[in-house]
Amino acid sequence: MKTDRKNNQNGFKHGQMLCPIFLIILCILLCACTGNRDLSVIPVPETENNITGTAINDRYLRFIGEEPNTMDPQCTSGYYTVALNVFDRLVEVETIDGVNVIVPALAESWEISDDGLVYMIHLRQGVTFSNGSPLTASDVKFTLERLLSNPAGRNKDIAMSILGAEAFRNGETETLEGLRIVDDNTIEITLAYPYGPFLACMSTPGASILDEETVTAAGEQSGMMSKSIIGTGPFVFEEWKPGAEITMKKNPTFWGKEAGCEGLRMIFLSGSVSPRLLFENGQVDILDLENVGGDSEYFINGDIYRGLIHSGTRVGITYIALNENIEPLNDVRVRKAMQLALDRNTIMRAIISGRGHVENGIFPHGLLGHNPDLPEIPYDVDEALKLLKEAGYPDGFDVNFCLIYNSSELMHQLVDVVTFMWSKIGIRTKITEMTEDEYIEARQRGELSCYTSTWSADFNDPDNFIYTFFGTPENTANRGLNYSNMDVIQRVQDARAIVDNDKRIAEYQDLEKKIIQEDAAWIPLYSAEHLFVVSERVEGFRVLWNGWSNNRYQNVSLKDSSL
């Protein structure tokens, strides 16, 4: 899932002349100095949004979210709050002793054949959907088939490894060959090829298990009407007030540990409502600091809320893509020089105040397969100049850096810092902005020389990263990289079928070193911490392992002292 950060950080404007790096850092630090401002003189803005009327001691957990266009888990690739809390999946990912592991959920147990092709899934017995219908293997079969056949589906890749998926998706057959119902509580899933990440795929929100009867009756309105949003999760969908909020209440028949709070209230902001003021006024309990712009420094560095900050690793990587189809980026010496010319520690300090990790490959901190022993890509201007001279560019060259027109100020700052550093080795950068549609089309046509973005984990496996960008000629072209080493691309494909997980991860790590450190196919920058400020009345909140902004709130409770 591509995630472009939307923080509206203050800083120098991207249209101005590039300034020295120490001024950029100074600008960021000055923003943090607003942390001790007196809010008593700042009025709460008038707005039609009814959040200002929310009772402070509401027994529902309150947080800000983006209004979805559907609550159907299969038809969204980003609006996951309802999916994570109203629905369940066959398996989940939990962090145990600092390690992300797959744990049973609706699937109580499973066996995998020695060849890695057949998964015998045993469902947890006695589970019911919130409408009282029992969970059966037929619901699982229906869910996986609908993932492939639903024209509005956004998560087809989850099920593409199942035997017969391609033919079923294309309408060539009415049944999915790889699915067989053994009995009401058992389903056999046969894959077309061994695929190590299969269970990890089953943990994603898009793989949420649906009630066959409910979804079939709702038809195209599935996910749009309250009565069609039926799951087995710790909360029950309650109400959607367009433009205002979505509420979910505790599920009294939930099969697992009951939810810690009476319900959830996801609030949509409109007009000039300030997230910071809503938190300060006690009207929201949890605030994602990625979505508050420069006010994040107020919470992080100020004396009042520093002790209420919760952090976790956002499993994603910010990178610069380099297009090997465009000269001189087709020369590995040029690409390597562009890597060496960047002081990535300084970039991380300037853009995310140093709250993260400099990355040296493809797999970020927190992801299964992350290699902490990967050699560091050094900052070495002299070596970069030497490589450019060897490549025939002693005086540098011109390059075009592309941005989406409405990219955040933070993204513009990142590009400005990068291009300033590149100028030290003679790279003259022209920044071109275009609409998102133009940007994607140009990228897929191979016309973008370089761009920057952030890729966040959809599921906890390195396949979600390396195959997406380097797994096929089509994938690397669609991502604007046009990586040309076909032997490596074939190895990436072959690695997916390695049954021994340790050997599969070792192969991915070897490929990672080859692709990034030897072939310099992209420039890894950093992974960021994911920070939240949490009200004192909240207990049990933990930042999820994943690359999303959404959370599952089953274990979060509200202190009785707030009554």
Side-chain angles (χ1 to χ4, degrees), residues 141 145 149 164 167-177:
K141 181 175 183 289
E145 289 181 338
S149 63
F168 184 77
R169 184 183 67 172
N170 295 335
E172 299 169 9
T173 178
E174 295 183 356
T175 59
L176 184 51
E177 183 180 354

Side-chain angles (χ1 to χ4, degrees), residues 305-324:
Y305 297 106
R306 189 177 300 162
L308 300 178
I309 301 297
H310 291 242
S311 67
T313 299
R314 172 180 279 284
V315 185
I317 185 169
T318 298
Y319 63 92
I320 297 173
L322 304 174
N323 187 348
E324 294 188 23

Side-chain angles (χ1 to χ4, degrees), residues 80-118:
Y80 290 150
T81 298
V82 171
L84 288 170
N85 291 283
V86 173
F87 296 86
D88 289 312
R89 288 134 296 278
L90 292 176
V91 295
E92 301 284 0
V93 174
E94 290 185 1
T95 303
I96 300 176
D97 296 329
V99 179
N100 298 325
V101 297
I102 293 174
V103 298
L106 294 181
E108 190 170 38
S109 63
W110 54 86
E111 296 95 35
I112 306 173
S113 63
D114 291 341
D115 60 8
L117 290 174
V118 181

Side-chain angles (χ1 to χ4, degrees), residues 62-66 265-269 274-276 278-279 284 286-288 291-292 553:
R62 301 154 306 179
F63 52 92
I64 296 169
E66 188 175 356
R265 174 169 278 110
M266 182 169 68
I267 300 154
F268 315 136
L269 294 189
S274 164
R276 170 179 164 180
L278 291 180
F279 186 86
V284 295
I286 298 174
L287 190 60
D288 186 344
N291 301 322
V292 299
Y553 297 104

Side-chain angles (χ1 to χ4, degrees), residues 135 180 439 458:
L135 168 72
R180 182 175 72 89
Y439 173 90
D458 293 311

Side-chain angles (χ1 to χ4, degrees), residues 101-281:
V101 297
I102 293 174
V103 298
L106 294 181
E108 190 170 38
S109 63
W110 54 86
E111 296 95 35
I112 306 173
S113 63
D114 291 341
D115 60 8
L117 290 174
V118 181
Y119 288 69
M120 189 68 73
I121 306 293
H122 304 283
L123 299 180
R124 193 177 298 275
Q125 298 188 35
V127 176
T128 61
F129 290 92
S130 59
N131 62 0
S133 297
L135 168 72
T136 69
S138 181
D139 295 305
V140 177
K141 181 175 183 289
F142 169 80
T143 296
L144 295 176
E145 289 181 338
R146 186 174 180 267
L147 267 171
L148 295 167
S149 63
N150 183 7
R154 300 287 300 274
N155 297 283
K156 291 179 170 59
D157 287 350
I158 293 172
M160 283 305 295
S161 60
I162 298 175
L163 182 65
E166 189 73 35
F168 184 77
R169 184 183 67 172
N170 295 335
E172 299 169 9
T173 178
E174 295 183 356
T175 59
L176 184 51
E177 183 180 354
L179 300 182
R180 182 175 72 89
I181 295 176
V182 178
D183 56 44
D184 280 350
N185 299 305
T186 311
I187 184 169
E188 181 184 83
I189 303 174
T190 302
L191 305 185
Y193 47 86
Y195 182 48
F198 178 71
L199 284 179
C201 286
M202 293 296 103
S203 74
T204 64
S208 298
I209 302 302
L210 308 176
D211 177 30
E212 179 179 6
E213 182 179 356
T214 296
V215 174
T216 301
E220 294 182 358
Q221 291 301 307
S222 177
M224 302 302 295
M225 306 177 297
S226 296
K227 63 181 181 181
S228 73
I229 307 167
I230 302 296
T232 60
F235 295 93
V236 177
F237 189 85
E238 188 172 33
E239 187 178 12
W240 180 3
K241 295 179 181 178
E245 65 182 21
I246 283 174
T247 54
M248 294 159 267
K249 61 183 178 181
K250 180 190 294 188
N251 182 357
T253 64
F254 179 54
W255 56 269
K257 177 185 175 182
E258 72 171 346
C261 56
E262 293 302 313
L264 308 177
R265 174 169 278 110
M266 182 169 68
I267 300 154
F268 315 136
L269 294 189
S270 62
S272 58
V273 177
S274 164
R276 170 179 164 180
L277 291 182
L278 291 180
F279 186 86
E280 294 258 297
N281 292 336

